[in-house]
Amino acid sequence: MDVFGLLGNPVGHSLSPPMHEAVYEALGMDARYVTFEPAPEELETAVRGAAALGVTGLNVTIPFKEDVLGLVEPDDRAARIGAVNTIDFGTHPPTGHNTDAAGVLRSFAERGVDLNGSEAVVVGAGGAGRATAFALADAGARVSIANRTVDRATALADDVPDATGHGLDVLSERVPRADVLVNATSVGMNENVSPVPTEALHGELAVLDAVYRPLETRLLCEAAERGAVTIDGGRMLLHQGAAAFERWTGRDAPVDAMEQALYDRL
Ligand code: NAP
């Protein structure tokens, strides 16, 4: 039996278990997806123990994505982002990957959004903002990063090719001439507020909101009213999971089965 799982604290409300269990059922795999909540001081023991026990792969979530970086061999993108959300124990040493970036890119790709040469605005410079900014830049976008804490945005922009860092005040000027907009803050999660001024939105935008509770955030509703392409945070969550499964197994993920399991619960 293959054992996969999620390392985080807390992990009780995670949607990853049903999403991945749906894969095993669809493919007839003898596998389980288990959640683990080690104490922070036990993280290294947990990762080493998982390797020793033959665990096939782990996802990693808050608060361990950064700390796991030093416990595995990160690939180039995870090292640049500074965070690992997927550990592959099928390699020696175990490797670390960041499939949040793949989640962003696949979410735009499935809607036919061409990122190459685009003007992109990323709101947020935390974990999701970092993964998004690197992903968009790797795809050929010029990225403006806007964050409440300006220093975080400028520090991130120093690392991302062709990027600039700003405060949130830049949104009313940058969004009107952008092709792509991503909300990578927690603003809008379980609250009816948007991080982007309504009047800056327009019909030529493709907007991804990383927030997935609710799926229809105020930002996405306002963007849709102006004719923008809108992509909810469930797509990013779905595709990061699919990319992790593909990394672990080398098999194509049954995205339809994962989607149903996920969206049934969102
Ligand atoms: P994080 O590392 O804690 O970063 C939080 C970000 O939100 C920071 O940029 C922070 O700005 C900003 N922020 C928080 N409260 C704010 C406010 N009141 N006004 C303006 N900005 C505010 O969190 P994260 O891991 O990046 O997650 C961010 C969001 O993305 C969450 O909603 C999370 O659920 C979602 N997410 C979704 C996926 C997916 O697959 N769909 C994946 C990862 C994350 P400061 O730097 O100024 O504090």
Side-chain angles (χ1 to χ4, degrees), residues 62 65-66 100 123-129 147-150 152 168 183-187 189 191 195 209-212 233-238 240:
I62 289 169
K65 285 184 183 185
E66 290 80 16
D100 284 338
V123 195
N147 196 49
R148 178 178 62 178
T149 308
V150 184
R152 268 184 117 182
L168 295 174
N183 173 35
T185 73
S186 48
V187 177
M189 186 165 63
E191 54 178 0
D209 199 334
V211 171
Y212 52 84
R235 306 310 300 174
M236 180 177 164
L237 190 60
L238 169 68
Q240 65 76 27

Side-chain angles (χ1 to χ4, degrees), residues 124-143:
R130 291 189 64 85
T132 301
F134 278 104
L136 296 180
D138 285 353
R142 281 181 299 279
V143 184

Side-chain angles (χ1 to χ4, degrees), residues 201-223:
L201 301 168
H202 57 88
E204 305 304 313
L205 268 177
V207 184
L208 165 64
D209 199 334
V211 171
Y212 52 84
R213 282 193 172 111
L215 279 176
E216 290 184 16
T217 59
R218 179 151 179 177
L219 169 62
L220 292 186
C221 290
E222 292 181 348

